[in-house]
Amino acid sequence: MNTALQPVHNLVPGANLEAYVQTVSSIPILSVEEERELADRLYYHEDLEAARQLVLSHLRFVVHIARSYAGYGLSQADLVQEGNVGLMKAVKRFNPEMGVRLVSFAVHWIRAEIHEFILRNWRIVKIATTKAQRKLFFNLRSAKKKLAWLTHEEVDAVAQDLGVATREVREMESRLYGQDLGFDGAQDEDDDAAAFAPANYLEDKRYDPATMLESSDWADSSVSQLQEGLAQLDERSRDILYQRWLAEEKATLHDLAAKYQVSAERIRQLEKNAMNKLKKSLELETEH
C-alpha cells in the first residue's frame, strides 16, 4: 500500500474539501486478505501503524456517507470530520474474528457520530432528545412525499413504520419544519422587518413594579410565618431544625445525637415531629 506517502495536510477536511476528496479517493481499497492482516496486527498486537492504514483506506467511505446528509445545511467538511471520528472508534473496536468486513462494522459508528453532530448543531433549540424523536428526525424527511403537512393516514403510516406514537410524529413534524427566529432580528433587516423581532414586542416581566412588590411581600410574609412557627417549638426541636436545615454548615443526625446524648434514630424522630408541627403551623397561618 502507498498510504504512507499521502500528504498529511490533505487528509484533514477543511476549506479545500475537493483536494481532500481527491486525496482519499486515491488511497487503494484493501483486499480481504490485506484488511484481515492489518486487523489482526491491531487487535492482537496493538499495531498503531496497522490502525492508521485501516483508517486511511476507509476515508472515502466516510465521504460517501457524509454526502447523504447534505440537506441539513451544515458544513460538509464538518460532517466528514465527525464521520472520521466514528471511523476511528470503529477501527479501535473492530474484532477480525467477527467474520465481517470493517466497512460493514464501521457504518454504525460513522452514522452515529454524524447524527450526534447534526442534532447538536442543526438548530439553536434542540429538537430531538428521546430515542423516538431521534428516530423520527432522521426518517421523517424521507417519509414525507410532499411539502404539505402529513394527513391523518400518512401520520398513522409513518408511526407504524417507525414504531412510534402518532403524537410523536406530529410533534417532530412541527419541530422539523418550524423556523428559527432570532430574538433581536438580523442586523441587515430594515426598520419595518426589525419591528417584528421578538425583542421589540416580548414583555420582560422581571422588573415590573407590581411583580417585584408582590414577590417582596410574599418573601417577607413567608419569613415571618416561618419565624412564628419556629417560636412555637421547644428549644431542642427548634435547634435540631436549625442545625439540619438553616445553618450554613448542616449538622448530621450523628452530630446532633452526640450533642443531645441520644441515638441518631431519636434525632430523626424529633426532626420529623418538629417538621410536622411547623407545617401545621404554617397551614393555619395561611388560612387566617
Side-chain angles (χ1 to χ4, degrees), residues 25-275:
S25 298
S26 67
I27 300 175
I29 297 177
L30 296 174
S31 66
V32 176
E33 294 76 16
E34 289 173 330
E35 180 181 301
R36 179 57 190 259
E37 179 188 353
L38 291 172
D40 284 345
R41 285 165 49 188
L42 173 60
Y43 189 77
Y44 294 110
H45 305 290
E46 298 183 356
D47 189 332
L48 296 182
E49 175 59 25
R52 190 179 77 90
Q53 293 187 39
L54 285 170
V55 170
L56 291 177
S57 62
H58 287 81
L59 290 177
R60 66 169 72 197
F61 181 65
V62 176
V63 173
H64 175 73
I65 294 179
R67 282 175 172 168
S68 66
Y69 294 94
Y72 293 96
L74 298 173
S75 165
Q76 192 70 23
D78 288 339
L79 294 174
V80 171
Q81 184 62 47
E82 294 298 319
N84 287 347
V85 173
L87 172 62
M88 288 185 283
K89 289 183 177 180
V91 168
K92 181 179 180 180
R93 293 166 172 80
F94 184 58
N95 182 349
E97 304 299 336
M98 295 173 62
V100 298
R101 294 295 299 268
L102 173 58
V103 68
S104 299
F105 176 76
V107 63
H108 164 77
W109 294 92
I110 295 170
R111 291 189 183 278
E113 290 297 323
I114 294 177
H115 285 185
E116 287 296 325
F117 177 76
I118 292 174
L119 291 174
R120 289 195 309 268
N121 296 278
W122 192 62
R123 287 283 181 87
I124 296 174
V125 179
K126 293 187 181 299
I127 66 169
T129 54
T130 68
K131 185 177 181 180
Q133 289 171 353
R134 289 168 181 257
K135 194 174 184 180
L136 276 170
F137 180 84
F138 291 105
N139 287 276
L140 195 54
R141 283 189 170 195
S142 59
K144 285 175 69 70
K145 302 298 189 295
K146 55 185 182 297
L147 293 178
W149 288 84
L150 296 174
T151 65
H152 290 297
E153 292 76 14
E154 289 171 332
V155 169
D156 291 337
V158 171
Q160 185 174 359
D161 289 341
L162 301 180
V164 297
T166 55
R167 62 177 177 78
E168 293 273 13
V169 178
R170 284 298 189 194
E171 182 179 354
M172 181 54 65
E173 185 181 30
S174 175
R175 294 183 184 183
L176 194 59
Y177 296 100
Q179 295 293 322
D180 288 330
L181 181 63
F183 181 74
D184 295 313
Q187 294 182 353
D188 57 353
E189 288 181 342
D190 56 36
D191 292 339
D192 292 336
F196 290 95
N200 293 321
Y201 61 80
L202 290 181
E203 180 183 3
D204 186 351
K205 297 183 178 181
R206 290 177 300 172
Y207 307 109
D208 176 64
T211 303
M212 295 176 67
L213 180 59
E214 181 181 353
S215 299
S216 177
D217 288 345
W218 183 88
D220 292 341
S221 177
S222 298
V223 171
S224 177
Q225 291 178 13
L226 178 60
Q227 290 176 341
E228 292 179 5
L230 288 172
Q232 297 177 20
L233 299 175
D234 61 84
E235 183 177 351
R236 183 174 62 174
S237 296
R238 187 165 55 248
D239 181 58
I240 289 174
L241 287 187
Y242 178 81
Q243 296 295 337
R244 291 281 289 158
W245 296 94
L246 302 177
E248 186 172 336
E249 293 186 8
K250 307 295 187 298
T252 67
L253 294 176
H254 293 284
D255 291 336
L256 294 171
K259 177 178 180 180
Y260 289 104
Q261 297 183 351
V262 295
S263 67
E265 176 59 23
R266 178 55 180 162
I267 295 295
R268 188 193 67 77
Q269 293 174 355
L270 291 171
E271 178 186 17
K272 182 179 179 181
N273 293 336
M275 290 292 288

Side-chain angles (χ1 to χ4, degrees), residues 232 274-286:
Q232 297 177 20
M275 290 292 288
N276 288 336
K277 291 179 181 179
L278 183 61
K279 181 179 179 181
K280 290 181 180 180
S281 176
L282 294 177
E283 289 175 349
L284 289 174
E285 290 290 337
T286 303

Side-chain angles (χ1 to χ4, degrees), residues 5-17 19-20 23:
L5 300 179
Q6 301 300 329
V8 175
H9 62 276
N10 278 347
L11 292 179
V12 179
N16 194 350
L17 184 60
Y20 171 83
T23 299

